[in-house]
Amino acid sequence: MVRRVMSVAPVLAILLFSLTGCIAPPQQLTSIGFVPPGGNPKIIVMRPDVAVDLLTAGGLLERREDWTNAARDNVLASLQALQARRGSKTRVAITRASAGGEDATVTELNQLHAIVGQSVLMHKFSRQAALPTKDGVFDWTLGEIAVQYGRESGYDYALFLYARDSFASNGRVALQAVGYLGCMVGVCAVAPGGSQTAFASLVDLKTGDLVWFNYMQSNEGDIRTQEGADVLVWTLLDSMSAKERANKGS
Amino acid sequence: MHSSRRQFMLGAGGCAACMSGLTRAHVLPTDLPPLVDVDYEPVDADERGIWQSMEQIEETIQASPQRLNAPELQGYTGSIIEQLMGRETPDLRIYLMRSALFNASMFPTGMMIVNTGLMARVRNEAQLAAVLGHEAGHYYRKHSIERYRSLRNKTATMAWVGAIANLGAGVYSVGPYSSSDWIYVAQGINTLVTMSMFQMSRTQEEEADAYGISLMARSGYTPDAASQVWKQLIEERKASAAQRDKRYRDRSASLVSTHPPTENRMKDLADTAAYLAKGSNRGSTDRRDEWLAAVAPHRAMLLDEQIKLNDPGASLYLINSLAEDGWNGLLRYNEGEIYRLRGETGDQEKAAEAYAAATAFTDVPPEAWRAHGYALLKAKKVDDGRYALNRYLELNPGAKDAGVVRYTLAQ
């Protein structure tokens, strides 16, 4: 019924390539001198900020509660599986209340992370919006409120995850089809379809600083399914766990 | 192609005319039943999605440091809504927010924001009820979801018009045809569709006005208060513009405005109030004393917020309007502050006079004595000035600037 048509269409693939061309290939960023937490730090995985939207024919993103709830449950399950593999003192906050701090602090922290993360995406991964002051440095921070949360909750690090997924409506798909016809007669403007954007940050709760950041963007995948959520979580976090293992070994 | 474009332009003219006709149409305060009950829960997927995303916004508002911490005023405002609706209103959640701008807004889920800038301006309970009733109208008439669905349809229409025009332009780019006509026509149609979105918003505002005023009439508030709110606002904006040597211009008087022209709203509301008064024998009240008592503890903060907007024309208008009920120490002190901050030729003297006048009232704020004292010292009236500064320290011994004032006295 509702589906993505992106990957099947070569014309669109080219268009998308040109759209995403401004974004560097996924890479993780760390602050200078960052050493993955050694010893046995207490890490909290914050309740993931997940939303899934319907992309309407006219291009509006319409939040879908059922899809969002399913996707959040899936992402949480993926995170818990990751935690089970890692052991240590990592805890996954299933609800916001279980994150340990004051409700208002946790809410504000989650929202602040979404904004700061989008700012990192824009200014660090898009060449057009690169900032001279951020050239060669990675010094984003959630500031005092993160430190306050660290004091309240007793954790050393917090891992945040933000994920958005969207799916084209039937109307949007039909509109794209007309767009392809246009390409055949020389006027090529195909409306973009649904897409997936996600990022994750590790925040040092002693300083509030983002010490590690990773993002992914895709026109495939579906976090409404457990497999899709697993792919998202592992794509974002697996490289870090690999580094962590290397660090323990050394 | 050319003839078809002319026909299209004609169509546009016709429709533009019908739009401006609608703008001036009345929405009668009858036949506007609430579309949602007290325990309403959305069922449709689009509306459920909106409610879910609003939850996060409401949490932010709840925890916002911008919220006014005033439980009594909060409760009082809630009681007005209950009076208007004639029942308890757990479905409407009011948040008083510290913002000096005149505004209130309704969210799709029943969350209502009321700015302190509105509290600073209303003159009686009925005027506040007029605004609350209007906002309640947006909720009970389901305006948000209606507007969203219309937006969804219209953006889809625009996307289709664009896509088909592109296709047409491609097909007709060979031969004697001009392919750009397709694009022009598409742009014209889409402009009209955009205009119709603004028109819909204005129609909803009219309906909310009508809904609010019918609630007022039903619950015994003077319906005239609704148009009074707008009359005051127009006067204030004129005073503000005059101060800045500008001509007053209503930003709502435009085809791309989400709200009807302010003057039209005022007249519509006045007409509707007259219409409602004709059909009713029951008495109505503006409950001015109740309002004045409720707002009194916050008046100093409200005036302070307003004055810091650095809009002396509007601030003086507000002070003078409030002084129609009689001058007091707080109003005189703030009048002085407006002149002091404006700093035009002669303002220093006007400020000094206002501070002096403030000290003659029993409700004089301690700060007025300080301001009066420094004004006197500037005017070389040393003894009187020292007396005034000492009064300030007596009335406010723990003042943050007590040290500075003592230093002045020690000179």
Side-chain angles (χ1 to χ4, degrees), chain B residues 162-369:
Chain B
I164 290 165
N166 280 343
L167 202 56
V171 170
Y172 282 89
S173 59
V174 286
Y177 303 102
S178 162
S179 59
S180 56
D181 279 347
W182 284 87
I183 308 295
Y184 289 142
V185 171
Q187 284 172 348
I189 294 171
N190 283 348
T191 305
L192 279 182
V193 176
T194 308
M195 290 299 172
S196 75
M197 292 188 214
F198 287 105
Q199 174 57 41
M200 172 168 204
S201 172
R202 292 193 293 268
T203 305
Q204 286 189 338
E205 293 301 329
E206 285 173 357
E207 188 175 290
D209 275 347
Y211 188 88
I213 203 168
S214 67
L215 289 185
M216 290 174 75
R218 202 181 67 188
S219 52
Y221 287 114
T222 321
D224 266 337
S227 69
Q228 285 292 329
V229 173
W230 296 109
K231 180 168 171 280
Q232 285 158 209
L233 194 70
I234 292 172
E235 284 175 5
E236 180 190 315
R237 289 187 174 160
K238 282 184 176 162
S240 168
Q243 166 72 50
R244 288 175 283 118
D245 289 328
K246 294 257 163 59
R247 265 184 57 196
Y248 165 73
R249 200 181 131 263
D250 181 11
R251 270 175 290 174
S252 304
S254 149
L255 270 183
V256 290
S257 166
T258 54
H259 288 63
T262 313
E263 194 113 3
N264 291 11
R265 290 182 80 177
M266 180 183 78
K267 285 177 184 155
D268 262 11
L269 286 166
D271 289 354
T272 313
Y275 166 88
L276 288 168
K278 252 187 269 170
S280 157
N281 300 323
R282 65 182 286 195
S284 63
T285 165
D286 62 8
R287 290 177 54 90
R288 186 167 144 276
D289 293 342
E290 285 81 354
W291 165 247
L292 291 177
V295 78
H298 307 283
R299 182 64 79 193
M301 176 274 290
L302 295 174
L303 290 176
D304 184 57
E305 258 184 9
Q306 168 60 32
I307 285 167
K308 284 181 178 148
L309 290 178
N310 193 21
D311 185 354
S315 300
L316 279 172
Y317 170 84
L318 185 63
I319 292 279
N320 287 317
S321 305
L322 294 172
E324 282 168 15
D325 298 334
W327 283 99
N328 58 37
L330 184 66
L331 290 176
R332 280 292 181 205
Y333 168 66
N334 280 287
E335 185 196 22
E337 288 291 277
I338 298 169
Y339 287 126
R340 180 177 69 79
L341 290 167
R342 189 173 72 174
E344 289 178 1
T345 315
D347 277 354
Q348 202 175 310
E349 291 74 19
K350 284 183 190 163
E353 275 172 38
Y355 296 139
T359 58
F361 289 95
T362 46
D363 72 324
V364 54
E367 294 77 21
W369 279 108

Side-chain angles (χ1 to χ4, degrees), chain A residues 4 74 165 167 196 220-229:
Chain A
R4 285 214 176 89
N74 292 338
D165 206 351
F167 297 88
Q196 202 176 71
E220 289 173 32
D222 181 349
I223 59 173
R224 296 171 303 177
T225 67
Q226 190 59 58
E227 301 75 51

Side-chain angles (χ1 to χ4, degrees), chain A residues 41-200:
Chain A
K42 284 179 74 185
I43 303 176
I44 176 82
V45 179
M46 304 297 275
R47 179 175 159 85
D49 180 354
V50 178
V52 184
D53 300 323
L54 176 76
L55 179 64
T56 69
L60 304 176
L61 287 174
E62 183 175 304
R63 174 71 61 87
R64 284 289 300 264
E65 186 191 36
D66 46 349
W67 294 353
T68 298
N69 290 344
R72 193 190 298 108
D73 289 347
N74 292 338
V75 170
L76 269 168
S78 307
L79 286 168
Q80 281 169 313
L82 180 77
Q83 175 212 15
R85 216 188 62 176
R86 279 199 186 167
S88 82
K89 284 191 179 171
T90 305
R91 250 195 92 244
V92 179
I94 310 274
T95 60
R96 219 181 11 219
S98 61
E102 297 270 329
D103 267 5
T105 313
V106 175
T107 301
E108 194 175 341
L109 209 47
N110 276 327
Q111 292 179 10
L112 184 60
H113 170 257
I115 301 291
V116 172
Q118 279 158 14
S119 159
V120 174
L121 260 192
M122 175 185 282
H123 297 301
K124 209 64 194 176
F125 290 94
S126 154
R127 276 179 214 139
Q128 282 93 332
L131 294 173
T133 49
K134 297 289 183 192
D135 191 21
V137 295
F138 185 78
D139 58 356
W140 272 271
T141 182
L142 298 189
E144 184 51 41
I145 183 147
V147 179
Q148 184 192 327
Y149 167 68
R151 270 198 308 268
E152 283 170 7
S153 65
Y155 288 104
D156 301 311
Y157 291 88
L159 182 76
F160 290 84
L161 192 151
Y162 171 102
R164 292 290 179 272
D165 206 351
S166 60
F167 297 88
S169 69
N170 292 339
R172 185 76 171 178
V173 172
L175 193 71
Q176 289 178 313
V178 173
Y180 299 134
L181 290 179
C183 292
M184 290 174 196
V185 294
V187 181
C188 199
V190 183
S195 68
Q196 202 176 71
T197 301
F199 52 82

